[in-house]
Amino acid sequence: MKVIIPAAGEGTRLRPHTITKPKPILPIAGATIIDFIMKEISSIGDLDEIIFIVGYLKDHMIEYLTNKYKNIKLTFVEQKEYKGLAHAIYLTKDYINNDDKIFIILGDTIFKLNLSNIVSKNENALGVCEVDNPSRFGIAILNENGVITKLIEKPQEPISNLALTGMYNIVNTKELFEAIEYIIKNNIKTKNEYQLTDALQYMIEKGILFKTFKLDGWYDCGEKSTMIETNRNIIKHEILSKGIKDTAIIPPVFIDKDVKIENSVIGPYVHIGTNSKIENSILKNCIIFEEVNMSNAFIDNSIISEKVTYKGKTHSMDIGASITIEQN
């Protein structure tokens, strides 16, 4: 089994935080987005290799992953032009054998799933989740036997509420790359990109069966509001720092090592990165990156990037890296 993780995008909806970090290594709930994905992947018993498709700030991704996951075979393939998910997957063709089984998961998708059970089945299957607004996603239409009959990318009409979650278990690997090659050669695009859903639909029309599997949990990190909501949903109470003085902690919070906090109220749902200093402040429902210096602040529903110095008061904001703000 080989896992392919597309992670080349610029994460524009999470700017300014993705100006200095690629989205998969943004911190959340005591780890990073990609750490939660890697934890689930590690449950696969016959895992041979993880292939990352990198692009934007690729050196940051490669350094982070190679330093942290030294016991797993990692391969990095660069996507220099962003032409869609199908194009990204096609770049891995030389690393995949025809008889390999592959599992594809997007690099910004936090999920809960019995992954070993899914990949052990000798069948093509796509991860789905019922959603209220299917027009934001690719969707699947099933017949009475639970077999996918049609895939549609971001439909205007709500034909189905089964959204594709960015997880694909593929056993017909040879046919997948042939389908991608077909849509690229014939310039078949949706929203001006080569979509994986179009390639999979081509396979379905050729008679290849696809089923679905439902996730136990699916958490979006695509933009500020959903990332903060995901942090609320998955954070576990953990305090690694011993530098906390005269401070009220309201669980759950994650406070990393070498954090100093004094005369403050922290929580609930707060992530604070390493080497940060918080004084005379109230923080709740927010994600604070590493090396942040903050005093006299009321921070709620916010994301603060690394190396920020902030003095003052506010209720909701996004601050990019290495910024100094003072309010009297």
Side-chain angles (χ1 to χ4, degrees):
M1 168 64 65
K2 294 182 179 180
V3 174
I4 301 174
I5 303 180
E10 296 182 5
T12 53
R13 290 184 298 162
L14 272 167
R15 286 180 176 170
H17 313 294
T18 51
I19 292 175
T20 54
K21 292 179 184 288
K23 182 164 61 171
I25 61 173
L26 292 180
I28 186 171
T32 66
I33 296 171
I34 199 65
D35 288 329
F36 284 99
I37 296 172
M38 293 293 282
K39 181 179 179 181
E40 298 295 335
I41 290 172
S42 65
S43 68
I44 300 175
D46 61 345
L47 179 63
D48 297 317
E49 181 181 10
I50 302 176
I51 303 171
F52 284 92
I53 303 162
V54 295
Y56 178 69
L57 295 177
K58 63 182 176 66
D59 292 340
H60 291 69
M61 278 286 292
I62 294 170
E63 180 181 10
Y64 182 86
L65 291 163
T66 52
N67 286 339
K68 187 158 188 179
Y69 298 99
K70 296 180 180 179
N71 297 324
I72 303 174
K73 183 179 180 182
L74 304 178
T75 298
F76 298 95
V77 177
E78 184 177 4
Q79 185 181 24
K80 295 181 180 180
E81 297 180 89
Y82 302 139
K83 297 181 179 181
L85 181 55
H87 171 260
I89 300 301
Y90 194 70
L91 295 175
T92 70
K93 186 175 184 294
D94 292 340
Y95 301 89
I96 305 295
N97 300 316
N98 288 339
D99 58 349
D100 283 334
K101 296 178 183 179
I102 61 174
F103 189 85
I104 302 168
I105 176 170
L106 303 186
D108 59 358
T109 301
I110 295 178
F111 65 97
K112 292 183 179 178
L113 178 69
N114 187 339
L115 196 52
S116 292
N117 183 49
I118 299 301
V119 300
S120 65
K121 295 180 180 179
N122 191 38
E123 63 182 20
N124 301 301
L126 311 183
V128 296
C129 186
E130 294 182 1
V131 297
D132 295 328
N133 183 14
S135 63
R136 291 181 53 212
F137 308 94
I139 59 99
I141 300 173
L142 313 183
N143 65 17
E144 63 276 9
N145 297 317
V147 174
I148 299 175
T149 59
K150 193 172 183 63
L151 299 172
I152 304 175
E153 182 68 25
K154 297 180 180 178
Q156 296 301 311
E157 299 294 331
I159 303 171
S160 166
N161 69 341
L162 281 182
L164 300 178
T165 60
M167 278 169 269
Y168 313 84
N169 190 59
I170 307 293
V171 296
N172 289 93
T173 306
K174 178 175 178 289
E175 290 80 2
L176 172 66
F177 285 102
E178 288 174 348
I180 295 175
E181 189 170 302
Y182 174 84
I183 69 167
I184 291 175
K185 284 186 174 180
N186 289 276
N187 202 33
I188 298 172
K189 295 182 178 180
T190 300
K191 299 187 181 299
N192 204 36
E193 290 186 338
Y194 298 113
Q195 302 287 355
L196 187 56
T197 48
D198 289 331
L200 296 174
Q201 179 61 34
Y202 179 79
M203 293 173 69
I204 291 169
E205 291 170 0
K206 291 292 184 179
I208 297 174
L209 294 183
F210 281 85
K211 295 185 178 181
T212 63
F213 57 89
K214 290 190 176 181
L215 281 67
D216 300 323
W218 182 38
Y219 306 103
D220 186 7
C221 296
E223 55 190 36
K224 172 194 168 182
S225 61
T226 59
M227 190 166 176
I228 291 174
E229 182 181 356
T230 293
N231 184 68
R232 285 175 59 97
N233 287 330
I234 67 176
I235 194 168
K236 294 182 179 179
H237 191 62
E238 186 175 13
I239 299 176
L240 302 180
S241 173
K242 296 181 180 179
I244 301 174
K245 181 180 179 182
D246 300 326
T247 291
I249 302 294
I250 305 172
V253 302
F254 171 82
I255 301 175
D256 209 341
K257 60 185 179 180
D258 299 321
V259 171
K260 295 181 180 180
I261 306 175
E262 188 170 349
N263 297 323
S264 297
V265 178
I266 308 297
Y269 312 116
V270 174
H271 167 115
I272 303 177
T274 186
N275 291 313
S276 292
K277 184 177 181 180
I278 313 295
E279 294 179 334
N280 306 313
S281 297
I282 299 174
L283 276 60
K284 62 179 181 178
N285 197 37
C286 58
I287 302 170
I288 311 297
F289 291 17
E290 68 274 15
E291 299 182 51
V292 170
N293 193 330
M294 184 176 294
S295 62
N296 304 313
F298 174 36
I299 304 297
D300 182 15
N301 195 44
S302 302
I303 302 175
I304 312 296
S305 282
E306 71 274 13
K307 300 180 180 179
V308 163
T309 297
Y310 178 83
K311 298 179 181 180
K313 294 183 179 180
T314 191
H315 290 276
S316 180
M317 60 185 167
D318 288 283
I319 302 178
S322 304
I323 301 296
T324 297
I325 297 175
E326 296 187 12
Q327 292 183 356
N328 297 321

